[in-house]
Every structure is written in C-alpha cells, then in structure tokens.
Amino acid sequence: MSEFDTTLPSVRNIQNFIQEQNEVELKLVTDDLIVGKIVWQDVNCICLMDHYEQPTIVWRQAIVFIKPKP
C-alpha cells in the first residue's frame, strides 16, 4: 500500500475542501456526478456527504475530477 502523501497539491486541495466545507462536484468514470461535501479522505477513498446527510465512499481510482460547485 502506498503512503498517504500530504505534500501533494491534490491532497492539500481536498483537505481545503474539507476544512472550508465547500460543496463539490465529483465526476466518476461511470459518468455519474455526485454533489456534496467531502468529509474525509485516505489513501484509497474519499467520503462525500450529500444533501440528505448520506455518506458515499468513492474509490480514488473511480474519480475523473473534483471541482467546487458554482
């Protein structure tokens, strides 16, 4: 297993989304679009909380992009 490298810009940006509780759009390789707030991240996954307070855990390999919701 790879080590979680907190010096990477991608990890730091996601950490900023978590700290600021910004709502994001998360696009998956399946073409699904998930909207919510990222609540945590680890080496393998990101957890997104939707408007109904339902958590969705997404494998990092399934993510196409993450961007702040306009």
Side-chain angles (χ1 to χ4, degrees), residues 5-35:
D5 187 356
T6 57
T7 65
L8 294 173
S10 60
V11 173
R12 289 196 317 263
N13 279 321
I14 292 171
Q15 209 52 38
N16 284 336
F17 290 145
I18 294 168
Q19 290 172 354
E20 296 171 8
Q21 296 186 343
N22 291 336
E23 198 166 66
V24 298
E25 294 179 348
L26 197 144
K27 177 83 167 200
L28 304 179
V29 295
T30 58
D31 212 27
D32 292 309
L33 185 66
I34 304 173
V35 176

Side-chain angles (χ1 to χ4, degrees), residues 22-69:
N22 291 336
E23 198 166 66
V24 298
E25 294 179 348
L26 197 144
K27 177 83 167 200
L28 304 179
V29 295
T30 58
D31 212 27
D32 292 309
L33 185 66
I34 304 173
V35 176
K37 295 179 182 177
I38 302 172
V39 290
W40 58 260
Q41 66 174 330
D42 64 21
V43 176
N44 299 311
C45 299
I46 291 176
C47 182
L48 196 74
M49 192 73 67
D50 68 15
H51 297 274
Y52 302 105
E53 297 297 315
Q54 294 295 313
T56 301
I57 297 173
V58 180
W59 286 93
R60 288 181 180 269
Q61 296 102 331
I63 299 170
V64 175
F65 66 77
I66 300 172
K67 67 178 183 177
K69 191 166 177 347

